[in-house]
Amino acid sequence: DGGITQSPKYLFRKEGQNVTLSCEQNLNHDAMYWYRQDPGQGLRLIYYSQIVNDFQKGDIAEGYSVSREKKESFPLTVTSAQKNPTAFYLCASRVGTNTGELFFGEGSRLTVL
Amino acid sequence: GDSVTQMEGPVTLSEEAFLTINCTYTATGYPSLFWYVQYPGEGLQLLLKATKADDKGSNKGFEATYRKETTSFHLEKGSVQVSDSAVYFCALSDRDGNNRLAFGKGNQVVVIP
């Protein structure tokens, strides 16, 4: 079945460690996105990529990094520079037209101990 | 910039009651409008969408009409069920080429038997 797969679903990290969240899609979508969700704050855009080997910062990119070496994959690294990394992270993809909807993965919950 | 505003606070109602969640938007162009639903611990799923003025999106008994004159896209359902308990997000995508979606903060809906 076509869809978006995020892993791991739950992740625990010690302060000062970098961690990478995986996002893979087999929908042949051009655009991919990473959002952060915190209680009462809705979704905030971290990074997005419209084509392979290109990506743009979203509204809260500080302390995060991404790569887009393949169309299917858009991993997110949460670095030690991110001051408050505990959150629910959502990856999404889209065909590429402005009328098209986003398709979301199931999310990854990161907890910093 | 583009933005979406949803009514404040959670919504609690009894089974078979009428549900309305307000959504208004600000956009420079002619956006597409979406409603997403999120069940506990999951990613977001598209509920319905409308791509031009006066369009009505509908799905699973939910409806929303794209009102350009009032810049609104209110979500309604005539008779809710306990299974409709979830968080609902309004979103827009403008046709300005940046391929981003703007989300509202979401509304928690709790349906009591």
Side-chain angles (χ1 to χ4, degrees):
Chain A
D1 286 358
I4 299 177
T5 302
Q6 289 187 239
S7 62
K9 191 169 177 67
Y10 300 96
L11 186 61
F12 297 89
R13 183 193 99 176
K14 293 182 179 179
E15 281 193 27
Q17 289 181 334
N18 292 354
V19 61
T20 296
L21 307 179
S22 170
C23 178
E24 303 279 332
Q25 55 102 355
N26 60 4
L27 299 167
N28 199 34
H29 286 171
D30 295 308
M32 297 187 74
Y33 305 77
W34 275 105
Y35 288 90
R36 170 179 171 141
Q37 186 176 22
D38 297 282
Q41 295 203 45
L43 274 68
R44 293 184 289 170
L45 182 63
I46 304 172
Y47 269 98
Y48 65 108
S49 167
Q50 301 194 59
I51 56 172
V52 175
N53 292 322
D54 188 43
F55 48 83
Q56 289 79 41
K57 292 182 179 180
D59 301 317
I60 55 164
E62 185 175 352
Y64 299 97
S65 66
V66 293
S67 62
R68 186 84 187 277
E69 297 176 2
K70 299 186 300 182
K71 189 175 185 178
E72 303 79 23
S73 179
F74 191 43
L76 173 74
T77 297
V78 185
T79 76
S80 56
Q82 169 50 234
K83 298 305 179 189
N84 186 22
T86 294
F88 190 53
Y89 291 89
L90 287 161
C91 179
S93 71
R94 189 185 196 189
V95 169
T97 67
N98 284 337
T99 59
E101 66 266 29
L102 288 179
F103 290 79
F104 283 85
E106 292 290 301
S108 293
R109 184 166 298 281
L110 172 64
T111 303
V112 175
L113 304 174
Chain B
D2 297 344
S3 66
V4 174
T5 301
Q6 291 182 233
M7 53 193 283
E8 292 288 328
V11 178
T12 302
L13 58 169
S14 299
E15 204 166 21
E16 298 184 1
F18 185 87
L19 171 68
T20 298
I21 305 176
N22 290 342
C23 171
T24 57
Y25 67 89
T26 303
T28 54
Y30 301 92
S32 294
L33 300 172
F34 308 87
W35 275 101
Y36 283 86
V37 59
Q38 184 180 33
Y39 300 101
E42 298 184 6
L44 277 68
Q45 304 172 27
L46 179 70
L47 182 58
L48 53 84
K49 72 176 186 180
T51 59
K52 61 182 187 298
D54 300 325
D55 270 2
K56 177 186 282 188
S58 61
N59 186 25
K60 300 180 181 179
F62 290 90
E63 293 183 340
T65 301
Y66 189 143
R67 302 285 189 199
K68 187 170 182 292
E69 63 277 11
T70 55
T71 62
S72 65
F73 192 54
H74 305 323
L75 182 69
E76 297 181 336
K77 185 173 185 181
S79 177
V80 293
Q81 305 300 314
V82 172
S83 57
D84 293 325
S85 298
V87 181
Y88 293 80
F89 293 92
C90 185
L92 74 80
S93 173
D94 212 336
R95 289 174 170 79
D96 59 3
N98 67 17
N99 215 8
R100 295 177 51 156
L101 266 71
F103 283 86
K105 292 191 174 183
N107 285 103
Q108 173 81 52
V109 172
V110 177
V111 180
I112 301 170

